[in-house]
Amino acid sequence: VRQRPDGLLERVGRKDRQVKIRGFRVDLDGVEAMLRGHAFVRDVAATARPGRADGTATLVAYVSAREGASSGLIDELNGLMCSAPPPMMPARFYLVPSIPRLPNWKLDARTLAALDEAQVRRERAESIDEATLTAIASDDHVSQTVARIWKDVLGVAVRAPEDDFFDNGGDSLSAVTFVLELERDLVDRVDVARRHDRAH
């Protein structure tokens, strides 16, 4: 906090890099330290992606790889983090040429936040893959409903039928929201169909 000229205290936020993920405090420095344990990670930055209206944040990690890193580096990093508590496991990894740093080598948090915002926009603009597009373009109202509510709740589109809800940033709270919205929408459809049948 800091004291204003009028004597009141103003909350300015945390000085450390602790964030709340799925209701647990997570130290971003600790996440980065674990990822740096991989021989082919040159630099890394973990960040809590701002959540949706429910305030939920998603942990993501940006990784700069050393020369010679394999194409399966992301899978290797996922395996490396399996020993960490679940809230410390990034929901997404992104390979980038370099991590934004200030002249004193501290993380450039503003540039990283802008980079992540741009990444979110790109993901939202991505077209749904052909298999999902075919299902949604059909008369399968359930698939259409699932895809729409998925995007509303997670902020990203379904990209494949086998997409994992939790790998895309979901958690127990958003899962409850997803199920409730899905049930409400499908019940509304059933009610409309019944009224239509009775009218005819």
Side-chain angles (χ1 to χ4, degrees):
V1 297
R2 65 180 168 213
Q3 190 171 24
R4 300 189 330 198
D6 59 6
L8 292 178
L9 295 177
E10 179 182 359
R11 182 180 184 277
V12 295
R14 300 186 67 96
K15 191 174 181 179
D16 59 24
R17 296 188 64 215
Q18 286 194 8
V19 296
K20 185 170 280 190
I21 303 292
R22 304 178 193 172
F24 295 91
R25 286 285 174 192
V26 172
D27 182 3
L28 296 178
D29 290 331
V31 174
E32 293 171 0
M34 289 193 69
L35 292 171
R36 283 195 185 93
H38 192 289
F40 284 98
V41 170
R42 180 175 59 188
D43 198 5
V44 62
T47 184
R49 178 174 290 172
R52 302 164 296 280
D54 61 4
T56 304
T58 301
L59 183 64
V60 299
Y62 286 83
V63 176
S64 174
R66 296 184 187 277
E67 187 175 348
S70 72
S71 58
L73 178 60
I74 298 300
D75 290 335
E76 294 171 12
L77 293 177
N78 273 313
L80 177 67
M81 296 302 291
C82 281
S83 62
M88 290 184 67
M89 297 179 65
R92 296 282 184 91
F93 287 94
Y94 301 100
L95 291 176
V96 291
S98 62
I99 302 299
R101 297 283 177 184
L102 298 171
N104 61 3
W105 194 244
K106 287 185 178 180
L107 181 67
D108 186 342
R110 287 189 177 183
T111 302
L112 180 64
L115 175 68
D116 193 51
E117 287 176 7
Q119 180 65 38
V120 170
R121 287 195 296 270
R122 281 194 297 272
E123 289 179 357
R124 288 178 177 173
E126 283 179 356
S127 58
I128 302 173
D129 77 358
E130 186 175 350
T132 304
L133 192 60
T134 300
I136 295 175
S138 70
D139 291 330
D140 184 352
H141 295 302
V142 174
S143 294
Q144 294 174 352
T145 301
V146 169
R148 177 177 55 77
I149 296 177
W150 176 293
K151 188 170 183 178
D152 288 346
V153 173
L154 294 183
V156 295
V158 179
R159 287 171 292 180
E162 65 273 10
D163 265 7
D164 186 283
F165 184 84
F166 296 99
D167 286 347
N168 280 272
D171 53 34
S172 57
L173 293 177
S174 56
V176 171
T177 301
F178 178 77
V179 171
L180 290 176
E181 290 295 326
L182 187 61
E183 287 180 344
R184 180 166 57 188
D185 191 286
L186 294 178
V187 168
D188 288 345
R189 285 181 182 272
V190 170
D191 288 343
V192 169
R194 285 175 176 170
R195 288 196 294 270
H196 182 270
D197 290 341
R198 288 171 183 168
H200 292 79

